[in-house]
């Protein structure tokens, strides 16, 4: 099955995330596309709007014991435990391949403390080929008893400020959906200097094996992703779009161009495809192809016409 | 590495034993690229539920482009697959993972337990094709009972193998574990044991081989989301600490590399 | 298709929610079973552990304009807008049928202010046949700018106290999942005197029609229910079970006995079946039959052996 | 009221026109209890996606226990249903809702547009069976074009009805709207118009009937989750304010009761 070959030269699919220009709004979601090379047999990688890589920490992390994943209704739980090669090996082993792709590389970072985020940003600012940083604030702040940075506007702002101060790169802050009011966190990180926000990260969930009477994940709880969470993600993108003026990247259950464009109508200027890439490694291209068809059929001047174009009332 | 994402035609669906199904698919590209021990990820339903693909060992390939999988119905995904009919198309991803390391070892011994028998047929055929192998590999197959085992043995017998059989209930062959059968063989450090089956079986085989200094390769099963090294969901604990990934580092491992106490 | 006729005389399926004794742990979820009569052609209503009726307010409410519902991946969104006949007509028109069923009737109540909740509890305390009150605190508090009672521990406690003070009935407080830390609200209502908590109510979600570029619900946002939300519900029940000592009723995506018993392992002593009743009107009986089979096969002394029996570590 | 939840056998699936499918089901209990204008809720897939049942008008019933639905493939649920094959079983809930009020009116006029034609066949048959009706009802059917309309007319012609046809593109019958055809009839307050179709069509028919003081019943479509009055999702705005519920108060309403400006 050859990928659909859509002529897209004449179409304007460009979007910008602050200073960062993307040739189209379709990117991969962190942790669901490895370091891109895993997909080279399936995907024309140069067609992607951007590649967002698996979350990177200062030191390598082994991750959680298995089982780490479990399928749920129209979704999946994961508790990978932030397994990654660490920033040094990432820069030396993964970046050369990534920066040769001709696609903006966005590095997702995670840490246990504000200091770790700061150091990560410093290291990545020196690395050639990094186009932007995406700050995963859904991690526990060990200095604050393990409360996730992303659930507290002040902690979220502190991380954002630290990252902004230590690099010139565009900084995208990735919001957690496990909060009472996502707009408070969004506004806090906007004020702290974030160039954009991306949302949503996974909802916290759990599953139990009746037979063994044990949790399905060794870590007991995990992150819920996939089509199941799309309605929650879309609602939060819409709410955040009313609250901030920085660009928004929509994430959560996107598997088709229709899904992606719904997020754009709600106010996102770009999207990330996550869990769908597991089911269909070509999911990003599938989304892109569908978007091209839509933009052409609807005779839109540019895909940007969709952003925030939801009609209410 | 050639890997393909393809919709392939289901040529034949056979119920081999109660709840055990063999699908024959026309998948020339994947069949041509595959080596024994590799697997495919299969989409079991068109909609969003079940969402994820399911991994299945490549049971057999033919030179005319057919690929077979052999599976037991254990849940929703395998139920759907069992209902598929000839003429329908299934989306496959593969061949995936690292297959068995096929050395020069003169004395290969293949041990399959339960559905772990599936990859053993492809492996056995491979040895047949390798003319330099003087001694044909020995094949030990185990299952719960004769109803399950006998139908799965057929293909091995057809290929000319002598099969040493074991059943949990003694209804066919040796009454007991495949490891007991394995013990009766004259294994040396020149032998290689290739094994796939339930974890306790493979752990026992590993210990036996370790004690007798016999190289042993095992094909492990874990939950998988992507099958291609992207999700990191298929962690397998290593003896040296940390984890390997069943889909991209395995599913075949040197038994000695893994942590068996878990 | 005749309902499975399971002999259950000898099995102990009883559970208690404070003073309230249930013959089995399977109840209907508010808003998904009407006033029970709608199901009489399909369900042996007397077999239910309890019936929880559609949320009742002081005055009748017309509800939201259509469209009010939309199907999502393994779930559905609803924005019914709390349509109901009002407490007076509920008592005069619906209670006679309900109280003749021989099943505990739990009345779900909702209001715009603490005062409304208080008055509702007073009215229901006088009505014969009401076994317990379930307080829906996911409603907006009009006096506090429309913030939902259930998202603020203090407001949730205030409602709970008011209801407790104005009636002798067992009071179940139904928690909203749209919060950063559900245990804070659970603890607050426990301290305020709640006899039990039930959770979860719906997650807030949204869907968009690409064709019309309009929200799929006239109300723009709505409540997400069904199998899609089960992992979130199970996680919250588990968390609340670690935090409070009052009984917990598990709700969210339950469609089978396995689902129900997972909630019990996580710490629920009873469950409610919601959206599943739309797909299979006999869902409650289906859950109950499966539970009976399990209790018998596993030779449990009582279904209560499952409560909180999750094995961790 | 007799209502049933049953798994019934699919006897025949026919593609009537491009994207339009008729299913014949063996559902004696539901068929026997049904009256014209009622509907069934059908589960379209075994898994959790699509989750909810889909409502379909009862197209026809036979005295030997068969029930037909006629539908257009518009989304995931109808796609699945279109793929079902004879011998499979489908879960049905029904008969649901209130059908047409069948008065003594001598001059009945049935107007069906698009898939709104589906319930009209059952209604037309009903009038045939009623021997006391002197004048056979008039039938006006409309669709986009002849490809869609002609196959749907067949059953009405077979029953001996004269069909007044209208197509949007003029490829068959009158070139224009069914309302224009309706205008040409000699309607009086002794007539009753029974109508089902797209909302704009029913609104136009309502206004025509209102002006001429002709009683008019319409069968409306809304999104539905339960089909039995439990979810309150199927709100239909009323002229008097507030809402009725399409599934339990309808789907057939007196056109004058509804709010049409919406
Ligand atoms: C590399 C690899 C190769 C495999 N090769 C084969 C093969 O050749 N033949 C084959 O039959 N299976 C094989 N499997 C296992 C197969 O993938 C699973 O049986 C399948 O995914 C189950 O899907 P399901 O939707 O039917 O079950 P699910 O609905 O996902 O699970 C149903 C229940 O079965 C349990 N379960 C899951 N997997 C297994 C299992 N392997 N055995 C028993 N119970 C299980 C689950 O915990 C759950 O309780 C292989 C797995 C891997 C990782
Ligand atoms: C009482 C009642 C009786 C009905 N009788 C019939 C009948 O006899 N024959 C028939 O073909 N249909 C009938 N319908 C409509 C039918 O229920 C829907 O077409 C069906 O539910 C669509 O399901 P789906 O999963 O295929 O589409 P979905 O995936 O749910 O929707 C796909 C797309 O189609 C749109 N859509 C939904 N319903 C319709 C519709 N009615 N027409 C056009 N677009 C729609 C959706 O908004 C969405 O954009 C009836 C509806 C009601 C309420
Ligand atoms: C297996 C897996 C690993 C993930 N790892 C990360 C990560 O390292 N950093 C991060 O910010 N988000 C991570 N995510 C979250 C995704 O990037 C995304 O926000 C989420 O899955 C929702 O999108 P989806 O529904 O399209 O998958 C991970 C998700 C999955 C499923
Ligand atoms: C159509 C609909 C109406 C509901 N109405 C109410 C209500 O009036 N009061 C209330 O507390 N919860 C209401 N709920 C929430 C359910 O009781 C339940 O908490 C939720 O749907 C999650 O359970 P489920 O996934 O099993 O449906 C409603 C849910 C649905 C789908
Ligand atoms: S299954 Fe995804 S990394 Fe192995
Ligand atoms: S569809 Fe549920 S009340 Fe009408």
């Amino acid at each position: 099955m050859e990928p659909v070959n859509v002529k897209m030269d004449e179409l304007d699919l460009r979007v910008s995330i602050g200073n960062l220009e993307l040739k189209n709004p379709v990117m991969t979601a962190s942790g669901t596309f490895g370091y891109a090379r895993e997909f080279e047999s399936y995907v024309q990688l140069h067609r992607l709007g951007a590649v967002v890589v698996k979350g990177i920490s200062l030191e390598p992390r082994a991750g959680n014991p298995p089982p780490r994943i479990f399928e749920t209704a129209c979704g999946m739980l994961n508790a990978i435990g932030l397994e990654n090669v660490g920033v040094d090996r990432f820069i030396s082993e993964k970046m050369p391949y990534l920066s040769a792709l001709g696609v903006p590389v966005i590095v997702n970072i995670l840490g246990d403390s504000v200091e770790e985020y700061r150091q990560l940003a410093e290291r990545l600012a020196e690395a050639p080929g990094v186009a932007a940083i995406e700050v995963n604030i859904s991690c526990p702040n060990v200095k604050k008893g393990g409360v996730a940075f992303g659930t507290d506007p002040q902690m979220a702002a502190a991380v954002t400020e630290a990252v902004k101060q230590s690099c010139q790169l565009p900084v995208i802050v990735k919001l957690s959906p496990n909060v009472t009011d996502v707009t408070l966190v969004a506004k806090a990180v906007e004020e702290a200097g974030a160039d954009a926000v991306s949302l949503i990260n996974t909802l916290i969930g759990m599953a139990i094996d009746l037979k063994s009477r044990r949790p399905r994940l060794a870590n007991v709880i995990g992150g819920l992703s996939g089509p199941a969470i799309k309605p929650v993600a879309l609602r939060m993108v819409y709410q955040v779009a009313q609250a901030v003026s920085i660009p928004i990247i929509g994430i959560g259950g996107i598997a088709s161009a229709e899904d992606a464009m719904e997020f754009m109508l709600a106010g996102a200027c770009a999207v990330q495809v996550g869990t769908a890439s597991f089911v269909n490694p070509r999911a990003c291209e599938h989304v892109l192809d569908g978007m091209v068809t839509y933009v052409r059929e609807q005779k839109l001047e540019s895909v940007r016409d969709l952003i925030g174009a939801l009609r209410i009332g | 590495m050639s890997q393909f994402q393809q919709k392939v035609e289901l040529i034949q669906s056979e119920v081999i034993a109660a709840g055990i199904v063999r699908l024959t698919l026309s998948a020339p590209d994947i069949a041509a690229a595959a080596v024994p021990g590799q697997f495919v990820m299969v989409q079991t339903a068109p909609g969003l539920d079940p969402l994820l693909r399911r991994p299945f060992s490549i049971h057999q390939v033919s030179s005319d482009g057919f690929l077979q999988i052999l599976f037991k119905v254990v849940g929703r995904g395998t139920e759907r697959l069992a209902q598929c009919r000839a003429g329908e198309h299934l989306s496959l991803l593969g061949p995936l993972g690292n297959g068995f390391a096929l050395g020069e070892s003169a004395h290969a011994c293949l041990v399959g337990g339960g559905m772990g028998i599936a990859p053993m047929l492809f492996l056995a055929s491979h040895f047949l094709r390798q003319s330099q192998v003087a001694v044909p590999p020995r094949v030990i197959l185990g299952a719960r009972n004769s109803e399950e085992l006998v139908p799965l043995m057929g293909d091995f017998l057809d290929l000319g193998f002598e099969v040493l059989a074991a059943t949990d209930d003694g209804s066919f062959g040796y009454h007991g574990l495949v490891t007991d059968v394995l013990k009766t063989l004259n294994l040396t450090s020149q032998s290689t044991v290739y094994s796939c089956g339930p974890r306790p079986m493979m752990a026992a085989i590993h210990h036996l081989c370790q004690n007798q200094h016999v190289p042993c390769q095992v094909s492990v099963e874990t939950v998988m989301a992507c099958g291609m090294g992207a999700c990191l969901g298929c962690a397998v604990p290593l003896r040296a600490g940390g984890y390997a990934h069943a889909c991209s580092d395995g599913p075949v491992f040197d038994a000695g590399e893994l942590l068996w106490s878990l």
Side-chain angles (χ1 to χ4, degrees), chain A, chain B:
Chain A
M1 199 168 66
E2 276 297 294
V4 183
N5 224 325
V6 188
K7 266 202 204 160
M8 36 186 293
D9 314 334
E10 78 279 21
L11 289 180
D12 184 1
L13 298 176
R14 288 168 304 155
V15 295
S16 45
I17 315 282
N19 289 337
L20 180 66
E21 283 268 346
L22 306 182
K23 61 177 177 288
N24 70 64
V26 186
M27 7 181 164
T28 64
S30 176
T32 65
F33 209 71
Y35 301 109
R37 189 169 211 156
E38 293 84 348
F39 287 75
E40 64 182 6
S41 312
Y42 307 104
V43 180
Q44 300 178 49
L45 294 168
H46 65 269
R47 292 188 65 204
L48 299 174
V51 168
V52 183
V53 297
K54 172 74 189 160
I56 300 293
S57 53
L58 266 189
E59 300 301 326
R61 296 197 189 196
N64 287 331
R68 292 180 172 184
I69 51 177
F70 181 72
E71 181 173 322
T72 63
C74 290
M76 64 177 279
L77 287 167
N78 89 79
I80 304 301
L82 307 173
E83 173 180 343
N84 77 94
V85 296
V87 69
D88 291 334
R89 279 182 57 198
F90 170 72
I91 291 173
S92 63
E93 294 176 17
K94 308 293 181 184
M95 270 313 290
Y97 178 86
L98 285 163
S99 47
L101 291 176
V103 160
V105 177
I106 300 176
V107 182
N108 183 279
I109 62 170
L110 55 98
D112 287 340
S113 65
V114 174
E115 187 46 33
E116 278 191 33
Y117 282 102
R118 183 198 311 279
Q119 289 183 32
L120 275 161
E122 275 171 12
R123 291 285 288 115
L124 289 166
E126 300 159 5
V130 176
I133 287 180
E134 182 179 59
V135 188
N136 177 358
I137 56 172
S138 295
C139 311
N141 183 346
V142 289
K143 296 205 176 137
K144 293 276 165 93
V147 176
F149 288 98
T151 57
D152 179 79
Q154 275 167 8
M155 292 196 316
V159 171
T160 308
E161 237 168 81
V163 172
K164 274 304 282 183
Q165 278 167 6
S166 43
C167 73
Q168 304 293 320
L169 294 167
V171 172
I172 304 159
V173 179
K174 183 164 177 181
L175 305 178
S176 162
N178 302 292
V179 294
T180 307
D181 187 347
V182 69
T183 65
L184 297 182
V185 187
K187 281 190 237 170
V189 302
E190 178 181 41
E191 268 173 44
D195 298 290
V197 288
S198 58
L199 66 157
I200 59 174
N201 212 315
T202 52
L203 285 167
I204 305 173
M206 182 174 171
I208 293 173
D209 181 15
L210 183 62
K211 240 187 245 170
S212 66
R213 299 196 181 170
R214 290 188 180 280
R216 291 283 192 173
L217 300 175
N219 190 52
V220 184
I221 59 170
L224 181 65
S225 65
I229 70 169
K230 187 186 139 195
V232 175
L234 202 58
R235 180 261 297 183
M236 290 193 168
V237 164
Y238 174 70
Q239 288 178 323
V240 169
Q242 316 306 306
V244 303
S245 49
I246 49 177
I248 297 167
I249 302 168
I251 322 171
I254 298 175
S256 69
E258 287 72 29
D259 293 336
M261 293 188 290
E262 286 178 37
F263 277 88
M264 295 184 74
L265 290 174
C269 62
V271 295
Q272 295 179 8
V273 176
T275 302
S277 288
F278 300 155
V279 184
N280 173 13
R282 282 204 278 263
C284 283
E285 282 189 281
H286 174 66
V287 168
L288 182 55
D289 291 341
M291 213 178 254
V292 166
T293 304
Y294 183 87
V295 169
R296 180 171 297 130
E297 281 179 4
Q298 301 285 313
K299 299 195 173 55
L300 302 188
E301 288 208 2
S302 102
V303 74
R304 297 183 296 280
D305 291 357
L306 290 170
I307 302 169
L310 184 69
R311 295 189 192 133
I312 293 209
Chain B
M1 245 185 338
S2 311
Q3 290 173 340
F4 304 90
Q5 176 181 5
Q6 293 181 328
K7 282 220 159 177
V8 303
E9 191 183 339
L10 176 58
I11 302 299
Q12 194 179 13
S13 170
E14 300 157 278
V15 178
I16 296 294
I20 299 181
V21 176
R22 180 169 63 194
L23 300 185
T24 305
L25 300 147
S26 172
D29 295 331
I30 300 176
V35 299
Q38 287 189 303
F39 66 99
V40 288
M41 294 288 283
V42 184
Q43 203 168 357
T44 62
L48 297 172
D49 176 67
L51 181 68
L52 300 173
R53 291 167 182 267
R54 299 292 191 261
F56 297 98
S57 301
I58 299 174
H59 177 47
Q60 185 60 294
V61 300
S62 73
S63 53
D64 48 352
F66 296 118
L67 179 151
Q68 291 185 322
I69 61 173
L70 176 77
F71 63 91
K72 192 170 204 157
V73 177
V74 298
R76 297 174 316 143
T78 45
E79 249 163 47
R80 298 294 167 88
L81 277 186
Q83 283 159 14
C84 288
R85 291 289 154 259
E88 287 184 47
H89 284 73
L90 289 172
S91 170
L92 255 62
L93 219 60
L96 297 166
N98 296 308
F100 292 100
L102 301 164
E104 307 282 287
S105 158
H107 300 275
C109 178
L110 281 51
V111 189
M115 281 303 105
I117 293 173
M120 290 301 151
L121 184 67
F122 187 10
L123 182 60
S125 316
H126 169 85
F127 280 112
L128 268 195
R129 281 182 216 125
Q130 288 219 311
S131 46
Q132 73 265 36
V133 178
V135 189
R138 268 155 317 168
V139 177
I140 307 176
L141 304 180
R144 284 184 304 178
N145 51 41
S146 74
E147 283 76 50
E148 204 170 295
L149 186 58
V150 174
L152 298 181
M153 284 173 52
D155 286 324
F156 292 87
L157 300 175
D158 290 351
L159 289 178
F161 288 95
E162 192 186 317
V163 173
L164 302 171
T167 54
D168 294 350
D169 67 355
S171 53
F172 189 83
Y174 178 79
H175 185 171
L177 303 174
V178 287
T179 27
D180 295 331
V181 179
L182 190 61
K183 273 185 204 149
T184 66
L185 300 186
N186 214 349
L187 298 176
T188 71
S189 60
Q190 301 305 308
S191 318
T192 304
V193 171
Y194 301 91
S195 142
C196 186
R199 200 178 159 81
M201 173 193 120
M202 292 198 291
I205 292 179
H206 159 61
H207 289 119
L208 183 72
C209 290
Q210 197 177 34
N211 290 337
Q212 307 192 9
H213 305 285
V214 180
C216 173
Q217 297 176 28
V218 293
S219 175
V220 303
E221 282 189 11
T222 66
V223 201
M224 289 187 176
C226 71
M228 47 193 279
C231 74
L232 309 184
C234 58
V236 181
L238 295 176
R239 192 149 77 134
Y243 303 99
H245 302 107
C247 72
S248 47
D249 304 317
V252 178
F253 292 93
D254 240 27
E257 279 179 14
L258 304 182
L259 193 65
W260 289 100
S261 53
L262 218 91

